Amino acid sequence: MKRCTWPVIDVELEYHDNEWCKESHDNRYLFEMLVLEMMQAGLSWRTILLRREAYRKAFHNFDIDKISKMDESDVERLMQDASIIRHKLKITSIIHNAKLIKENNIDMDSFMWKYVDFKQIINDVKETDAAVASNKLSIQISNDLKKIGFKFVGPTIMYSYMQAIGMIDDHINTCDFKNNRP
């Protein structure tokens, strides 16, 4: 099977083959991927994928209602949880962002997918192309989220997020998983 060059082993291959650049409109999953992309900032994606189940447990399976009710005692508890990355600013940002989603009655699916008219962008990606870290769209989404008050949603995080939820398909052209294949 021909794949992109980045997935090396186990969790990366599974993620690449089954999730990366595949369209999702499930609000829980959309929030999960936002959290994971936020946590990944400055770290390897593999590091986060290996802790994914721990994040699910720590953040109530990414139930926005439950996360929005978390408080300082939850933050302190999570800061003692060695199964996740104990970065206080990221942890508090997750809770903060969940509260903003609740307070503003944001439907993540509608909010995100409106930027691409609810149609996946399929990029022409050659094996020799350098990886894209951000683009005009990720900058726009980042700015719009920041206006609402979101934290840890910079253009690079948002570009990776768009790949994670399938708004953008950046599989290399020869990858068997391009455009949701197989």
Side-chain angles (χ1 to χ4, degrees):
M1 217 168 226
K2 178 76 173 159
R3 290 183 173 91
C4 298
T5 56
W6 65 265
V8 182
I9 55 172
D10 56 57
V11 293
E12 290 178 348
L13 283 174
E14 184 178 325
Y15 176 73
H16 171 273
D17 294 358
N18 298 308
E19 294 181 71
W20 192 62
C21 298
K22 291 194 182 203
E23 289 186 48
S24 178
H25 297 277
D26 176 81
N27 280 308
R28 188 213 50 82
Y29 181 80
L30 298 181
F31 190 69
E32 175 180 3
M33 297 316 295
L34 180 61
V35 168
L36 297 180
E37 292 295 347
M38 289 168 59
M39 293 307 293
Q40 188 270 332
L43 302 168
S44 76
W45 187 234
R46 177 176 171 69
T47 297
I48 300 307
L49 288 175
L50 289 170
R51 289 170 174 77
R52 190 175 192 176
E53 286 306 316
Y55 284 111
R56 285 180 176 150
K57 183 178 176 189
F59 290 101
H60 308 287
N61 201 32
F62 302 103
D63 182 314
I64 293 170
D65 290 332
K66 290 180 181 177
I67 296 169
S68 69
K69 294 174 183 161
M70 293 173 77
D71 59 21
E72 189 59 37
S73 66
D74 293 300
V75 173
E76 292 309 315
R77 177 181 48 79
L78 292 173
M79 288 300 294
Q80 304 306 314
D81 185 347
S83 67
I84 64 171
I85 305 299
R86 294 173 284 184
H87 188 292
K88 191 169 187 172
L89 185 56
K90 290 180 181 181
I91 291 169
T92 57
S93 293
I94 291 164
I95 298 166
H96 173 81
N97 292 348
K99 288 178 181 184
L100 287 175
I101 290 169
K102 286 294 294 176
E103 290 167 7
N104 293 285
N105 200 29
I106 296 171
D107 176 79
M108 291 295 290
D109 180 44
S110 297
F111 184 88
M112 292 305 301
W113 282 90
K114 72 181 178 210
Y115 287 98
V116 292
D117 292 326
F118 299 89
K119 295 176 192 152
Q120 183 182 56
I121 296 169
I122 301 169
N123 286 328
D124 178 21
V125 183
K126 296 168 184 61
E127 202 164 334
T128 56
D129 289 348
V132 175
S134 66
N135 65 6
K136 282 182 172 181
L137 184 56
S138 72
I139 293 167
Q140 179 185 355
I141 295 170
S142 171
N143 289 338
D144 290 350
L145 287 169
K146 287 177 182 176
K147 285 176 190 169
I148 297 169
F150 277 70
K151 297 179 181 179
F152 262 93
V153 290
T156 300
I157 290 172
M158 293 319 299
Y159 192 84
S160 294
Y161 179 64
M162 290 188 299
Q163 292 171 318
I165 66 170
M167 286 174 63
I168 295 176
D169 183 340
D170 271 346
H171 286 282
I172 60 172
N173 296 337
T174 57
C175 180
D176 288 335
F177 296 89
K178 182 79 173 182
N179 195 23
N180 296 308
R181 297 180 310 232

